[in-house]
Amino acid sequence: MEEEPVVLETANRRTKRTRAQTRVNEEQLHSSVNEEEREESSEDFEDSRARPKRSKALGGTSSAAAARNAHQSLIDVVKGDRRRIPLVVKHWVEHYEKDPKAAMAGLLSMMFEACGAKYHIEEDFLDQTDVDDVVVALVNMAKRGEVEDYQTSKKKDFKNFKDNLVYFWDTLVAECENGPLFDRVLFDKCMDYVIALSCTPPRVYRQVASLMGLQLVTSFIHIAKVLGSQRETTQRQLNAEQKKKVDGPRVESLNKRLSMTHEKITIIEEMMRKIFTGLFMHRYRDVEPDIRMACIQSLGVWILSYPSLFLQDLYLKYLGWTLNDKSDGVRKASVLALQNLYEVDDNVPSLGLFTERFYKRMIELADDVDISVAVCAIGLVKQLIRHQRVPEEELSSLYDLLIDDPPEIRRAIGALVYDNLIAQRLNSSQSSSGDNADSSEVHLNRLLRILGEFSKDEMLSMYVIDDIWEYMDAMKDWKRILSMLLEEELSAELSDADATNLIRLLFASIRKAVGEKIVPASDNKKQYYTKAQKDVFESSKRDITIAMMRNYPQLLRKFISDKAKIPYLLEIIVHMNLELYSLKRQDQNFKSAVLLMKEAFFKHGEKEALRSCVKALNFCATESRGELQDFAVNKLKGIEDELIMKLKSAIKEVADGDDEYTMLVNLKRLYELQLSRQISTESLYKDLAETLKNFRSIDDEVIGFLLLNMHLHVCWCLHSIINSGTVLEQSISSLISKRSALFELLESFLTTNSPEGLRASQLACRVCVIFSEQWCLFKKATFASTEIEALGYSPDEAILQKFWKLCERQLHISDEAEEEDSNREYIEETNRDAVIIAVGKLVAVDAVPKEYLAPEILSHLSMHGTSVSEVIKHLLTVLRNNGADVAWLFIEALKRVSITTC
């Protein structure tokens, strides 16, 4: 026995609204249209109630003329004012009940003209006219170019044509509910022509006919749902009467009504099947993507709204097949239709076989070439997981998309990971901890297990955190995170690696909360925020500061010796509002934090820790207020003085034959300080130069940092002269003397070819880069005709030739040597990349005569088009973001921008 249709309350409400809207529209129309419009309406539809005399006169006119007038009104109302449609349809139905053939001829003519063809069937020949003959005539009209496409027309009059046409047929079906809908004549004839037109070659015929046919099924479903509700009510009433065990007219009446209702449902379902078989089964694979998409969208609506008929594999398979459609619009329509189906729990049992057959394809679509399709597919997979229809092992490929390029896909996968693995909302068998007071800690522990898979790659961890952040409130539960970190002993669940990941998570979450990006942007565009967004960031910064100010010194103290954790902890203060320390009377906590930063600076020698220390100390010295600022500035000055003393002592120890490690670590500390601020190292500069002259056998890394610190000192001296109000001859001569000493040392490395000279490519790279930076800074054109013209410098030909040869040598270093060297600290790009960038700077600013460029380097920088500087800027951006092989980078760069011949 056929399953009875599911009746939804919304169906009844919708029908009542439609009828009410018809009455309202009718009243509005009668009160708003002018007298002329009333007369026209009366002539067309013989409204005897409104104007009886006019109706009598119309009765004497020929029925063919009446049909043409009716047709004209129907097509005009579809083209024009949507508000007139309910009243016009009502009058047409009354006309049909009086003169079926004339009204039918007018309706068919309207249908043909909606397709763009002005073709009329005489009512007298309506029964004898063959559908195929009419369709052939219409196709011939299209071949002769006698068809107008209203649907895609850009004319203002047809702006709402498509919506009006759909509304017309929906209103017509609703108006015929208690009349011609079930006479097996009116709509059978309409369906015959709609199906026939949908199978014709002209695109416009197929488009409009498909639109009308699909809407007819949708409208039939509305009626079927109302009838189904009536059938259920009648059945309940009949059951109640039968329990009384008294046969009478009431029982007979209910049986008759039940039988009639069931018959109507059967008729209307037959009409649905007829359109599905004759139209949908052909048009869902039409050559036009728009027609295919309309079919799939309609099918999704039909299955969802009338599952008693359509929720079976006979119809579901079309949604599965179109998941492979070549049009992204069709694939998306299919995915969205399925997503709506799986959202209704009652549908899932009937979707079992379909899911088993197509779930792998649904997962594959999460990596679709079209981003919008992929995002929708991820939402669909979430529904499958919620209903436990996907094996867990099938999801591993999905989680890989957490680090995909398009941020939309990453966000969608982040939502899935949060719901499925962290909040565990998607699996009803999993215990939910949403109401538990410790839910934040539970969620954080689950996230840490995920981050544990990426602990060796910080950037991958940042991608995971970025993807999940907006969905996971526990990441913003600062107090809970701090309490987990400050426990006296790490819990059994929280290992040392988890603690590192939790600190990394805390730092990344704080940066996100104040509006910073934690992963590279795909477009490299600067982010602009509205005032409201900035206010949110400021509020977050305040909340973070209040939560951290008492606990921050404890965090630093607990992890001060851990080189993996301390860099993240040190930089947290950069995202805090230091004014609150004074307002909240937390001076002692601020001072404790600064003292711990100083301790960390002299405890660590790694780049990350040192750079974070300097960044935090500089922030405290500039952003704090009053007494706290004075305290931070004094401590920073004390660090400089102490560092110089330690470095001089280390140099003396090396001179006495001790190990070089202490000197190297302090050189790194000095280098990090000099990157951000000028340090008075007048006496130290001579010591550095003497060390390089007298101890050439020391490690290359030590030599490199000696040169780097001398280079930075020269740069700061030049900065002081340029920004000073008065130019002192003594300052200029002192700078020239220091520069000469540096150049002399650099040139000694250029001329040394013995193993004791350039023992590794890293040191050679340092020499090339420092030379390039110095020549750019002191190029003669910069200082020409100024008070400090004496500072201008241009290298002589002999030095240039040696410099180019050393650069060429770096370009031929093997990949194995590059990889070995890249494991050294402070190497931010490969040596070849660094040399190319250095040479590019020289070329871009015309720091040296271009005729000295070596052919090998010229081949990298010489083409045709725009300026070299544009290419250099592009290369710098690509190198920073990708760090790919330099040869490949140049090829790609030359594809994107052109370069002027040097």
Side-chain angles (χ1 to χ4, degrees):
M1 182 175 178
E2 186 178 1
E3 182 183 350
E4 292 184 358
V6 177
V7 180
L8 303 177
E9 283 188 298
T10 53
N12 291 330
R13 289 200 298 270
R14 178 184 180 117
T15 305
K16 290 176 183 177
R17 283 201 304 270
T18 304
R19 291 172 179 170
Q21 185 181 10
T22 302
R23 290 196 295 272
V24 171
N25 287 336
E26 185 174 350
E27 292 171 4
Q28 290 175 345
L29 186 63
H30 280 296
S31 63
S32 62
V33 298
N34 56 34
E35 197 66 24
E36 183 179 44
E37 288 176 322
R38 290 197 184 96
E39 291 177 6
E40 180 185 358
S41 177
S42 302
E43 288 176 356
D44 292 342
F45 297 104
E46 303 179 87
D47 191 347
S48 58
R49 294 168 296 176
R51 304 182 66 82
K53 292 183 179 179
R54 178 76 63 178
S55 177
K56 185 176 180 180
L58 184 60
T61 62
S62 69
S63 57
R68 277 192 289 272
N69 288 336
H71 150 65
Q72 185 64 35
S73 295
L74 291 178
I75 193 62
D76 285 348
V77 79
V78 170
K79 292 179 183 178
D81 190 356
R82 176 188 181 93
R83 293 173 298 177
R84 296 180 59 195
I85 290 177
L87 184 59
V88 170
V89 168
K90 180 180 178 182
H91 288 175
W92 184 90
V93 173
E94 293 172 357
H95 183 203
Y96 177 82
E97 290 172 348
K98 294 176 182 179
D99 191 352
K101 289 187 177 180
M104 173 67 79
L107 181 63
L108 292 177
S109 297
M110 184 280 293
M111 181 191 298
F112 301 148
E113 187 163 350
C115 293
K118 294 182 179 181
Y119 186 89
H120 181 72
I121 301 176
E122 293 294 335
E123 61 188 76
D124 295 335
F125 303 101
L126 190 62
D127 294 333
Q128 292 80 25
T129 303
D130 186 70
V131 174
D132 293 338
D133 294 338
V134 174
V135 170
V136 169
L138 291 170
V139 171
N140 289 332
M141 289 179 66
K143 289 180 180 179
R144 295 193 298 269
E146 298 174 5
V147 173
E148 184 176 1
D149 188 351
Y150 297 137
Q151 189 174 355
T152 59
S153 175
K154 295 183 179 179
K155 294 180 181 179
K156 187 177 180 181
D157 296 342
F158 303 121
K159 182 174 66 173
N160 301 316
F161 176 79
K162 180 178 177 181
D163 293 337
N164 287 355
L165 184 61
V166 167
Y167 182 50
F168 173 86
W169 285 103
D170 189 44
T171 306
L172 179 62
V173 172
E175 191 65 36
C176 295
E177 176 183 357
N178 298 314
L181 181 60
F182 303 101
D183 67 0
R184 294 186 178 271
V185 176
L186 171 60
F187 283 95
D188 279 12
K189 182 72 73 174
C190 291
M191 288 189 296
D192 289 341
Y193 280 100
V194 165
I195 292 170
L197 285 169
S198 70
C199 297
T200 56
R203 176 184 55 82
V204 63
Y205 290 173
R206 298 199 315 278
Q207 280 185 325
V208 178
S210 298
L211 180 68
M212 293 188 290
L214 297 172
Q215 180 55 44
L216 279 174
V217 176
T218 304
S219 301
F220 291 159
I221 287 174
H222 294 159
I223 303 300
K225 290 170 71 174
V226 174
L227 292 172
S229 178
Q230 293 173 359
R231 182 171 62 178
E232 287 186 355
T233 302
T234 304
Q235 185 67 60
R236 284 197 300 268
Q237 293 172 343
L238 180 60
N239 293 339
E241 289 295 326
Q242 289 175 342
K243 287 180 181 178
K244 299 177 182 178
K245 298 181 180 180
V246 177
D247 292 334
R250 173 69 172 163
V251 174
E252 184 180 350
S253 173
L254 289 173
N255 273 318
K256 183 178 180 181
R257 190 195 308 172
L258 183 64
S259 176
M260 289 176 61
T261 305
H262 184 75
E263 183 181 355
K264 286 183 178 181
I265 292 174
T266 303
I267 292 172
I268 207 164
E269 287 183 351
E270 287 177 359
M271 290 193 289
M272 294 182 207
R273 292 190 185 96
K274 180 175 180 178
I275 294 178
F276 186 89
T277 306
L279 189 151
F280 180 91
M281 289 179 61
H282 300 285
R283 297 284 66 77
Y284 89 95
R285 52 185 181 180
D286 195 280
V287 294
E288 286 292 323
D290 290 343
I291 297 177
R292 301 200 303 273
M293 185 167 64
C295 288
I296 297 304
Q297 287 172 337
S298 296
L299 180 59
V301 173
W302 302 342
I303 299 174
L304 186 65
S305 56
Y306 201 58
S308 61
L309 175 63
F310 289 104
L311 186 57
Q312 49 183 309
D313 293 333
L314 176 65
Y315 302 101
L316 288 169
K317 63 185 179 182
Y318 295 100
L319 295 179
W321 290 342
T322 49
L323 291 174
N324 295 290
D325 196 278
K326 61 183 179 182
S327 168
D328 51 66
V330 179
R331 294 196 304 275
K332 184 176 179 179
S334 180
V335 169
L336 290 175
L338 290 171
Q339 196 170 348
N340 292 332
L341 290 178
Y342 282 102
E343 282 179 358
V344 181
D345 293 344
D346 292 340
N347 291 339
V348 176
S350 301
L351 291 164
L353 186 60
F354 172 84
T355 306
E356 185 179 343
R357 180 176 179 183
F358 291 105
Y359 80 88
K360 290 186 178 180
R361 177 55 185 161
M362 299 179 203
I363 295 175
E364 290 173 359
L365 283 174
D367 197 19
D368 194 85
V369 293
D370 184 84
I371 294 175
S372 64
V373 175
V375 171
C376 292
I378 293 167
L380 174 57
V381 173
K382 282 178 63 177
Q383 295 290 346
L384 295 178
I385 296 171
R386 182 169 71 88
H387 296 296
Q388 303 178 40
R389 298 287 171 171
V390 181
E392 192 65 31
E393 58 270 15
E394 297 284 352
L395 299 175
S396 57
S397 61
L398 210 60
Y399 297 146
D400 292 341
L401 298 177
L402 279 170
I403 54 174
D404 205 355
D405 283 337
E408 298 90 346
I409 294 178
R410 291 195 289 106
R411 296 288 187 279
I413 293 293
L416 185 148
V417 169
Y418 175 70
D419 288 339
N420 186 40
L421 300 181
I422 298 174
Q424 298 187 353
R425 297 172 179 168
L426 301 183
N427 194 335
S428 58
S429 66
Q430 295 170 330
S431 59
S432 174
S433 57
D435 298 329
N436 195 322
D438 294 328
S439 61
S440 290
E441 186 168 346
V442 172
H443 289 179
L444 287 167
N445 282 322
R446 289 171 182 167
L447 177 57
L448 290 175
R449 285 198 291 271
I450 296 173
L451 294 177
E453 301 292 327
F454 306 97
S455 57
K456 294 182 180 179
D457 193 324
E458 179 185 353
M459 185 50 65
L460 294 184
S461 298
M462 290 297 108
Y463 271 104
V464 174
I465 294 169
D466 185 62
D467 298 340
I468 301 173
W469 188 83
E470 65 182 284
Y471 309 105
M472 186 171 170
D473 292 337
M475 282 198 205
K476 292 83 125 178
D477 190 346
W478 317 118
K479 292 182 180 179
R480 176 62 60 182
I481 297 175
L482 291 173
S483 68
M484 291 173 66
L485 289 171
L486 290 174
E487 290 179 359
E488 290 187 11
E489 293 185 7
L490 296 179
S491 64
E493 291 185 3
L494 196 67
S495 64
D496 183 67
D498 289 336
T500 302
N501 283 328
L502 185 57
I503 290 173
R504 188 182 291 169
L505 183 153
L506 173 63
F507 177 56
S509 185
I510 288 174
R511 290 176 62 194
K512 288 280 290 181
V514 297
E516 285 194 9
K517 291 185 179 296
I518 63 173
V519 297
S522 56
D523 53 7
N524 289 317
K525 290 182 180 178
K526 185 178 179 180
Q527 182 72 44
Y528 293 96
Y529 296 108
T530 63
K531 184 179 183 301
Q533 288 174 314
K534 291 177 181 177
D535 290 342
V536 171
F537 297 150
E538 283 301 317
S539 177
S540 298
K541 184 178 288 189
R542 178 184 177 84
D543 294 341
I544 292 164
T545 306
I546 292 172
M548 293 291 299
M549 57 173 54
R550 286 191 175 91
N551 297 310
Y552 189 55
Q554 299 176 47
L555 271 179
L556 292 177
R557 190 175 291 110
K558 181 174 182 179
F559 298 106
I560 196 167
S561 300
D562 195 321
K563 65 180 182 180
K565 300 178 179 67
I566 197 64
Y568 304 107
L569 293 175
L570 286 165
E571 286 197 43
I572 285 176
I573 200 168
V574 176
H575 307 290
M576 293 165 60
N577 184 350
L578 300 188
E579 290 183 10
L580 291 177
Y581 275 95
S582 300
L583 295 174
K584 300 289 183 179
R585 298 182 179 179
Q586 296 293 320
D587 299 26
Q588 190 56 48
N589 281 323
F590 177 85
K591 293 177 181 179
S592 298
V594 172
L595 290 173
L596 287 166
M597 291 173 195
K598 177 182 177 181
E599 183 182 343
F601 182 79
F602 287 110
K603 188 179 286 289
H604 294 279
E606 301 81 18
K607 179 178 73 172
E608 291 79 11
L610 292 175
R611 194 156 290 182
S612 296
C613 277
V614 173
K615 187 175 182 180
L617 287 164
N618 282 331
F619 184 81
C620 291
T622 55
E623 297 301 320
S624 55
R625 295 292 179 266
E627 181 187 346
L628 296 184
Q629 186 176 40
D630 295 338
F631 180 83
V633 170
N634 290 333
K635 290 303 173 186
L636 191 54
K637 183 66 173 65
I639 289 173
E640 295 175 9
D641 296 339
E642 186 177 347
L643 177 60
I644 291 174
M645 288 177 54
K646 287 178 177 288
L647 189 52
K648 285 187 173 183
S649 174
I651 291 173
K652 186 177 179 181
E653 290 175 0
V654 170
D656 294 339
D658 287 351
D659 187 69
E660 304 164 2
Y661 176 76
T662 304
M663 183 170 71
L664 175 62
V665 170
N666 285 296
L667 283 171
K668 290 180 179 180
R669 292 170 181 156
L670 178 63
Y671 174 72
E672 292 298 336
L673 275 177
Q674 286 202 98
L675 283 175
S676 61
R677 59 194 295 111
Q678 185 173 5
I679 300 175
S680 179
T681 57
E682 296 294 334
S683 59
L684 184 61
Y685 189 85
K686 293 181 180 179
D687 293 340
L688 298 179
E690 288 298 324
T691 302
L692 278 171
K693 286 180 181 178
N694 299 330
F695 302 99
R696 302 298 291 272
S697 60
I698 57 178
D699 187 75
D700 283 348
E701 192 176 8
V702 178
I703 294 174
F705 276 99
L706 286 166
L707 291 171
L708 283 172
N709 278 292
M710 292 178 68
H711 162 62
L712 287 178
H713 179 73
V714 170
C715 293
W716 280 115
C717 290
L718 176 61
H719 179 268
S720 297
I721 292 174
I722 292 174
N723 289 279
S724 63
T726 58
V727 179
L728 300 176
E729 289 291 334
Q730 184 180 357
S731 300
I732 294 176
S733 60
S734 174
L735 175 56
I736 292 174
S737 174
K738 292 175 182 178
R739 185 185 68 189
S740 299
L742 176 61
F743 281 0
E744 182 181 345
L745 290 168
L746 291 170
E747 289 169 15
S748 68
F749 289 107
L750 282 180
T751 56
T752 305
N753 293 314
S754 64
E756 290 76 17
L758 298 180
R759 294 180 293 275
S761 60
Q762 182 189 357
L763 180 56
C765 174
R766 294 277 193 228
V767 172
C768 291
V769 170
I770 294 173
F771 257 134
S772 171
E773 295 283 352
Q774 289 288 320
W775 289 344
C776 288
L777 282 173
F778 290 99
K779 73 169 185 174
K780 284 191 172 183
T782 303
F783 302 97
S785 303
T786 65
E787 292 181 295
I788 53 176
E789 186 174 5
L791 291 177
Y793 179 84
S794 180
D796 58 37
E797 182 177 348
I799 295 298
L800 278 174
Q801 293 291 355
K802 294 175 182 177
F803 173 78
W804 298 132
K805 287 189 178 296
L806 182 59
C807 291
E808 284 183 285
R809 206 174 303 149
Q810 300 307 300
L811 297 176
H812 290 93
I813 295 173
S814 66
D815 292 336
E816 291 77 11
E818 283 276 27
E819 185 176 352
E820 180 182 348
D821 230 18
S822 66
N823 293 327
R824 307 289 291 274
E825 200 177 18
Y826 284 87
I827 301 297
E828 297 180 357
E829 62 273 315
T830 68
N831 293 324
R832 280 178 291 179
D833 294 345
V835 169
I836 291 297
I837 293 171
V839 174
K841 288 179 181 178
L842 291 174
V843 173
V845 301
D846 295 327
V848 295
K850 295 186 179 65
E851 58 267 22
Y852 294 113
L853 284 172
E856 176 112 5
I857 298 173
L858 181 63
S859 67
H860 285 299
L861 297 172
S862 162
M863 285 288 164
H864 53 81
T866 54
S867 66
V868 175
S869 60
E870 291 296 320
V871 176
I872 299 303
K873 289 177 183 176
H874 176 75
L875 286 176
L876 285 170
T877 301
V878 177
L879 285 167
R880 279 195 210 101
N881 293 340
N882 300 298
D885 181 75
V886 71
W888 177 84
L889 284 172
F890 268 104
I891 293 171
E892 292 299 309
L894 296 177
K895 289 179 182 177
R896 290 174 172 81
V897 292
S898 303
I899 311 176
T900 306
T901 303
C902 296

